[in-house]
Amino acid sequence: MIVREPRVPSPYRRLLESVAVREDVVRVAGSDTAWWTYDTPGADDDSPVVLAVHGFRGDHHGLEPVVAQLTGVRVVMPDLPGFGESTPLEGEHSVAAYAAWLTAFAAAVGLDESVVVLGHSFGSIVTSAALADGLRASRLVLVNPIAAPALSGPRGVVTRLAVFYYWAGAALPEAAGLTVLQAAPVVRFTSLAMVKTRDRGLRRWIHDQHDSYFSRFADRRVVLDAFRASVSSDVSSYAARVAVPTLLIAADRDDITALPAQHELRALFPDARLTVIDGVGHLIHYEKPKEAAAAIRGFVA
């Protein structure tokens, strides 16, 4: 695992300073799962609880800008096993394994069926799979949901390059493969491919976030397993079996899932609404967290 501390101050740091944060660790499915509790301004023991799951190769830091914009809710956010400060699962890191882990995690930390579950990007697949397979919750929020197979997205060629990149990381000897998978130029290329904002300061901070957190995975096996899971499944596989009200927060410039696919995904859920945020791509949580939080607040209320 590469640990590099951020060098660019967060534009949301002052808002985050008003959020009370507590860190804990719980043993779930063979993983020592690190998790954080965020009490946003106005939250108390009777406030709605949001269980949030981050995306591929990220950790809990990624969704903090959205948390910073929320009020009156408690957010529980773990690092996915094998990423950030959580140790790996026992066995393969598949969508099914992550979904089972999430259900067990919710039970282990005492979350009941009133919880609102939120997933971003790969987290949208994990959370949808978990609810489809029996995780009890009151609502589901998906930010930048993976609505269709990644290889069919607007930039499918880039995704195919990513497949080759991870294949090379797997084919090389252990040390060389890990070096390739953590290569700083590749992390920066990925960041440049996703960012849409023209704000130079915000772009610099986003790249620094990826530089700092995108290579905090436990080992090569974990990241290769998770990548295969991320490109072999999507939310549409689980939508029909999600029985709770669902909010999709999509972007009009998302290069991983085109907007028409988001409209098609909404129709697959028994009860879903779609909010589209303009002028942003797959990084709603970094570039438009205020708009995302506003949609979440209205839905939870």
Side-chain angles (χ1 to χ4, degrees), residues 13-24:
R13 65 188 183 280
R14 293 199 177 186
L15 286 171
L16 276 171
E17 288 170 357
S18 66
V19 178
V21 185
R22 184 180 73 251
E23 180 182 353
D24 295 283

Side-chain angles (χ1 to χ4, degrees), residues 13-288:
R13 65 188 183 280
R14 293 199 177 186
L15 286 171
L16 276 171
E17 288 170 357
S18 66
V19 178
V21 185
R22 184 180 73 251
E23 180 182 353
D24 295 283
V25 177
V26 63
R27 183 79 172 174
V28 180
S31 167
D32 290 327
T33 300
W35 58 289
W36 288 259
T37 302
Y38 300 82
D39 282 328
T40 65
D44 56 32
D45 290 341
D46 296 322
S47 297
V49 178
V50 176
L51 170 58
V53 180
H54 63 79
F56 175 63
R57 283 190 71 157
D59 66 9
H60 68 283
H61 292 95
L63 288 171
E64 284 189 335
V66 178
V67 174
Q69 308 285 343
L70 292 171
T71 56
V73 298
R74 174 170 291 165
V75 180
V76 172
M77 187 151 53
D79 280 348
L80 282 170
F83 294 89
E85 297 184 30
S86 294
T87 62
L89 296 168
E90 295 174 348
E92 185 182 12
H93 292 70
S94 62
V95 171
Y98 274 129
W101 159 83
L102 184 63
T103 300
F105 171 82
V109 302
L111 301 180
D112 62 28
E113 62 186 22
S114 68
V115 70
V116 178
V117 177
L118 181 151
H120 172 255
S121 189
F122 179 57
S124 72
I125 303 175
V126 172
T127 54
S128 299
L131 265 73
D133 290 341
L135 172 61
R136 297 178 68 84
S138 64
R139 291 171 183 263
L140 175 64
V141 178
L142 304 179
V143 182
N144 286 125
I146 308 299
L151 291 174
S152 67
R155 299 181 72 176
V157 172
V158 174
T159 305
R160 287 178 173 81
L161 287 174
V163 170
F164 176 77
Y165 164 68
Y166 283 96
W167 173 84
L172 291 167
E174 176 75 25
L178 187 60
T179 298
V180 166
L181 292 170
Q182 295 177 325
V186 177
V187 171
R188 180 54 58 89
F189 173 81
T190 303
S191 188
L192 287 166
M194 291 189 291
V195 70
K196 301 298 182 185
T197 180
R198 298 288 186 180
D199 184 314
R200 295 178 65 181
L202 186 58
R203 289 175 69 93
R204 183 167 172 261
W205 174 73
I206 290 169
H207 295 326
D208 185 65
Q209 288 287 290
H210 287 139
D211 290 346
S212 300
Y213 300 120
F214 216 55
S215 294
R216 292 191 182 187
F217 51 84
D219 54 42
R220 181 170 70 162
R221 177 183 68 90
V222 165
V223 75
L224 292 173
D225 277 359
F227 176 74
R228 282 190 290 267
S230 72
V231 297
S232 64
S233 186
D234 61 83
V235 176
S236 68
S237 302
Y238 310 102
R241 293 189 287 127
V242 174
V244 302
T246 300
L247 171 65
L248 311 179
I249 304 177
D252 68 333
R253 300 178 64 192
D254 195 333
D255 291 321
I256 294 179
T257 300
L259 193 54
Q262 301 289 6
H263 287 280
E264 293 172 5
L265 177 64
R266 184 202 60 76
L268 296 177
F269 284 93
D271 180 5
R273 68 183 71 171
L274 172 64
T275 295
V276 178
I277 299 178
D278 295 331
V280 66
H282 203 65
L283 302 180
I284 287 175
H285 58 310
Y286 282 152
E287 296 185 35
K288 301 274 185 159

